[in-house]
Amino acid sequence: MSRYLVNKFLFTVDRDTDLTERYRRDPVATVAWWERERANRVLGSIPAEDTTWLSFTDEERTALEAHDHVTLFGLGAHPFLTLTLWIAMFERDWDEPLGMQLDYARQLAHLGLPYPSIET
Amino acid sequence: MAKLVAILATTHHPFYYRTSQLPPEEAPPFAAEWVSKVATYRETLTRARPDVLVMVGSDHFHQLWLDNMPQFLVGKAPFYDGNWENEVREFGLPKMLLRGHEELSAYMLREGIDKGFDLAFSNELRVDHSVTCPILTVRPQNDLPIVPIYTNIFAPPLPRPERFVQLGRTIREIIDAWPSDLRVAVIGTGHLSLELGGPRQFGPHGPDPEFDARAVDWISRGDIDGCLAGVSLDSLHEPGNATHGFMDFMLMMGIAGYAKADHTDSLDLFHTMEAYFTWYPNPELIGDPS
């Protein structure tokens, strides 16, 4: 499990408008590019100082490729990061106010307490 | 010594700013009451005539990140830019520039470290909506220097609730002992029950109205012991998965001490309950409300 790396993906994609749009438009290619080029970049550092060991599990990669926020929740991705990025990508597809957020919640409705740990 | 003239503890609803800017025909039905309550709350700060604001909030994964996460951090800079691109995008918040008060920041850091809190610091901090929202609501002219204090209520492992109360008590001691003639107000923001990114989010009320009622009661009566007996790191998951932001209210209770709030108000909204509290530690320092 690489919960930290999933969070790093969500964090770095959400704060970059171009990356947010790429991830919305072409999630499989964007996840592959990000894991190859960005997963091991220490934030604020140069490529020569990249980390050498970070990668997604197959389950995490598949969930990110599928825009599957339910599985990400189950894996313990930080729910604030997932929600914020999903709002940026998908709120525009709904006509009614909060339509996207309420649908997002409905898809998680089968889950009770305790929620999966988000500790990293 | 400095004069601690007011302590404000409030929620920070990022949608308030955009809602308050809407023309009446476009505003939602709750907007007028919300704006009115905020205007009343703003007056509780105005009456105290502060010179400097200590602002307690929590970065929402904007600048502080899991590669280097402080539990408690004090900003020490001459200026703080405010609000991040994804807050502009999601909430319609404006970019802002706030002035810093480096002397009080330095004093807070030195004294805090010496009193047992190994505070982190930042010389370049872009503050997020946990700090800018209360500026927009209670000091929209944004004319006072600030000392931002960030707490980690977001990225576990978190400090326990007792630690937040202790930090509040320590901040109170530090301000009371600050060798300055200035009038200080502390404004801290947190949450009552709140769910973000989970099945209970964006309901017609906060996810746990019973918790909210208990919380308002604890805060308004200054019932620190009852509050500490009623919550723990584990129990705060139950009212909603983002309810650990309530610990910022507990920090503010630590600053206020065992004192009833001089102003208590709340507003039940979709998604969350808004709450507004003000204490005047020394009523003689406050002007006539008329």
Side-chain angles (χ1 to χ4, degrees):
Chain A
M1 185 168 60
S2 36
R3 197 180 286 153
Y4 167 72
L5 191 63
V6 173
N7 286 339
K8 185 177 179 180
F9 176 88
L10 300 169
F11 174 75
T12 56
V13 172
D14 177 72
R15 62 200 294 116
D16 181 323
T17 303
D18 291 341
L19 266 183
T20 303
E21 293 305 311
R22 275 174 64 186
Y23 181 47
R24 169 185 159 94
R25 196 170 57 241
D26 192 351
V28 173
T30 305
V31 170
W33 169 85
W34 190 91
E35 188 172 10
R36 188 175 64 247
E37 302 288 340
R38 289 289 181 269
N40 283 286
R41 183 66 39 82
V42 178
L43 299 181
S45 297
I46 60 174
E49 293 156 350
D50 277 359
T51 298
T52 57
W53 51 272
L54 285 165
S55 63
F56 294 126
T57 65
D58 290 344
E59 190 178 23
E60 291 164 346
R61 190 179 301 109
T62 302
L64 289 170
E65 288 172 345
H67 288 158
D68 180 355
H69 77 271
V70 177
T71 296
L72 291 173
F73 188 90
L75 292 170
H78 199 293
F80 179 85
L81 291 169
T82 315
L83 173 65
T84 303
L85 178 56
W86 257 238
I87 289 172
M89 291 196 296
F90 302 123
E91 188 178 38
R92 71 188 83 166
D93 298 332
W94 297 78
D95 291 329
E96 68 275 28
L98 300 178
M100 178 257 146
Q101 290 88 337
L102 292 172
D103 178 69
Y104 186 109
R106 273 192 295 272
Q107 293 186 50
L108 294 166
H110 59 288
L111 296 166
L113 294 172
Y115 297 162
S117 172
I118 61 168
E119 190 154 330
T120 52
Chain B
M1 293 301 138
K3 299 178 181 67
L4 178 60
V5 292
I7 301 159
L8 280 73
T10 170
T11 43
H12 59 249
H13 203 309
F15 290 117
Y16 174 79
Y17 175 75
R18 187 160 59 191
T19 303
S20 70
Q21 305 293 305
L22 293 171
E25 64 274 15
E26 294 178 25
F30 52 81
E33 184 181 15
W34 199 2
V35 169
S36 171
K37 283 178 180 282
V38 167
T40 301
Y41 191 47
R42 181 181 310 129
E43 181 57 26
T44 71
L45 178 68
T46 306
R47 283 180 62 200
R49 305 188 314 280
D51 300 311
V52 56
L53 304 176
V54 175
M55 306 292 298
V56 177
S58 300
D59 180 74
H60 298 63
F61 283 139
H62 288 117
Q63 181 160 344
L64 307 182
W65 175 238
L66 301 171
D67 61 353
N68 189 8
M69 178 59 74
Q71 300 293 5
F72 299 113
L73 177 144
V74 176
K76 180 181 177 294
F79 294 95
Y80 302 94
D81 287 289
N83 292 327
W84 293 75
E85 279 296 295
N86 55 9
E87 295 176 302
V88 174
R89 177 188 75 204
E90 186 173 344
F91 308 129
L93 289 169
K95 293 285 184 69
M96 299 167 67
L97 179 64
L98 298 86
R99 199 150 47 91
H101 198 291
E102 284 198 271
E103 180 193 333
L104 181 53
S105 287
Y107 187 76
M108 189 73 71
L109 282 162
R110 181 70 268 158
E111 294 296 310
I113 292 166
D114 290 347
K115 290 177 184 295
F117 280 90
D118 297 329
L119 300 167
F121 66 91
S122 173
N123 294 146
E124 184 181 9
L125 193 66
R126 174 178 282 278
V127 292
D128 82 356
H129 71 270
S130 66
V131 170
T132 61
C133 283
I135 294 294
L136 292 166
T137 51
V138 298
R139 198 72 183 186
Q141 61 270 50
N142 186 22
D143 59 340
L144 297 178
I146 70 164
V147 173
I149 300 178
Y150 268 157
T151 68
N152 176 19
I153 49 90
F154 219 58
L158 308 177
R160 294 189 185 280
E162 292 81 359
R163 194 69 173 152
F164 282 74
V165 173
Q166 287 168 3
L167 179 58
R169 288 174 172 147
T170 301
I171 291 170
R172 173 69 179 266
E173 289 175 17
I174 292 170
I175 294 170
D176 283 343
W178 184 34
S180 167
D181 295 330
L182 295 181
R183 297 166 67 91
V184 181
V186 189
I187 303 171
T189 71
H191 300 294
L192 303 182
S193 72
L194 183 65
E195 177 104 338
L196 291 170
R200 296 174 287 174
Q201 69 178 3
F202 291 99
H205 311 280
D208 191 339
E210 288 184 15
F211 175 86
D212 295 344
R214 282 202 306 280
V216 169
D217 184 62
W218 286 324
I219 300 167
S220 62
R221 292 192 297 109
D223 184 7
I224 296 172
D225 296 339
C227 187
L228 281 171
V231 305
S232 67
L233 277 183
D234 284 338
S235 79
L236 284 171
H237 289 286
E238 294 164 13
N241 69 347
T243 308
H244 290 87
F246 180 65
M247 294 193 294
D248 281 334
F249 274 110
M250 298 181 74
L251 188 158
M252 299 308 295
M253 292 173 76
I255 296 177
Y258 294 98
K260 283 179 64 173
D262 295 286
H263 173 87
T264 295
D265 201 2
S266 61
L267 178 63
D268 190 26
L269 287 178
F270 73 96
H271 187 44
T272 183
M273 175 181 271
E274 284 279 84
Y276 312 105
F277 307 91
T278 300
W279 292 264
Y280 297 124
N282 184 351
E284 292 179 3
L285 296 172
I286 305 303
D288 186 329
S290 62

